[in-house]
Amino acid sequence: MTAQQGGELSVEVKELRGHPGAQETFARTVPVPTEFSTVLIGLPEGEDLELDLRLESVHEGVLVTGTAAARAAGQCARCLDELSYPLTVDVMQLFTYPERAEPGADEEDERFVSEDLAIELEPMLRDLMVSALPFQPVCREDCPGLCSQCGFRLEDDPQHAHEQIDPRWAALAGLAEDLEGSEDEDGPRG
Ligand SMILES: [Zn+2]
Ligand SMILES: [Zn+2]
């Protein structure tokens, strides 16, 4: 099996053609291509993408099964801390021979073997891995996040809270604090 000009993730399948049941393995580590990411989290470009795939010749085309693994890195949606974890997805995708494509069929999830008998793994892997990323990544399930009023990291002090003061009384409360402050400055009371 040789890689074509399309990059390491373009795989020639000429030898599988016409031999239903024939198999090849595609086990290698390649750099993560660009844009395997969402807003808050993604697979850092250029890091290791470990592919352990089996390409199997079936009647309609080439069935690709196996796993793809890489490191996901991003930001916690609650506290904005950096987070990172290993991501592994299962792959199970049929690449249909072009002449077997049914005209008018919904082609959204369908993938094809190209005219020159190659399959493009990159778009498939991007779809699979990006959709496996959490929409709202969290550093841990019970991350308390940040105070909505002042941005304080609630994990550093779970007791952190703001007194809820009616805005009409806020000015008076401020005045009272000023008075207490000046009393202290005047020395001991009583
Ligand atoms: Zn967090
Ligand atoms: Zn606060």
Side-chain angles (χ1 to χ4, degrees), residues 55-69:
L55 281 56
E56 192 180 344
S57 178
V58 295
H59 210 56
E60 306 87 342
V62 176
L63 180 65
V64 179
T65 56
T67 57

Side-chain angles (χ1 to χ4, degrees), residues 2 45 65 124 160 162:
T2 52
E45 187 177 344
T65 56
M124 172 196 73
H160 177 85
H162 295 264

Side-chain angles (χ1 to χ4, degrees), residues 76 78-79 139 143:
C76 173
R78 292 185 201 150
C79 71
C139 59
C143 170

Side-chain angles (χ1 to χ4, degrees), residues 147-152 154 160-162:
C147 171
S148 60
Q149 292 186 48
C150 70
F152 179 82
L154 296 176
H160 177 85
H162 295 264

Side-chain angles (χ1 to χ4, degrees), residues 56-129:
E56 192 180 344
S57 178
V58 295
H59 210 56
E60 306 87 342
V62 176
L63 180 65
V64 179
T65 56
T67 57
R71 185 176 74 94
Q75 262 189 330
C76 173
R78 292 185 201 150
C79 71
L80 307 181
D81 266 8
E82 293 195 356
L83 59 88
S84 165
Y85 64 91
L87 174 71
T88 301
V89 299
D90 290 325
V91 178
M92 163 98 64
Q93 175 74 51
L94 174 68
F95 288 80
T96 313
Y97 289 128
E99 70 275 13
R100 292 205 166 257
E102 287 177 31
D106 180 10
E107 295 177 7
E108 203 149 294
D109 295 324
E110 227 176 342
R111 296 184 192 279
F112 297 98
V113 177
S114 71
E115 296 288 348
D116 55 354
L117 297 181
I119 58 176
E120 302 296 331
L121 297 177
E122 183 176 327
M124 172 196 73
L125 291 170
R126 177 179 287 109
D127 284 358
L128 273 177
M129 300 192 87

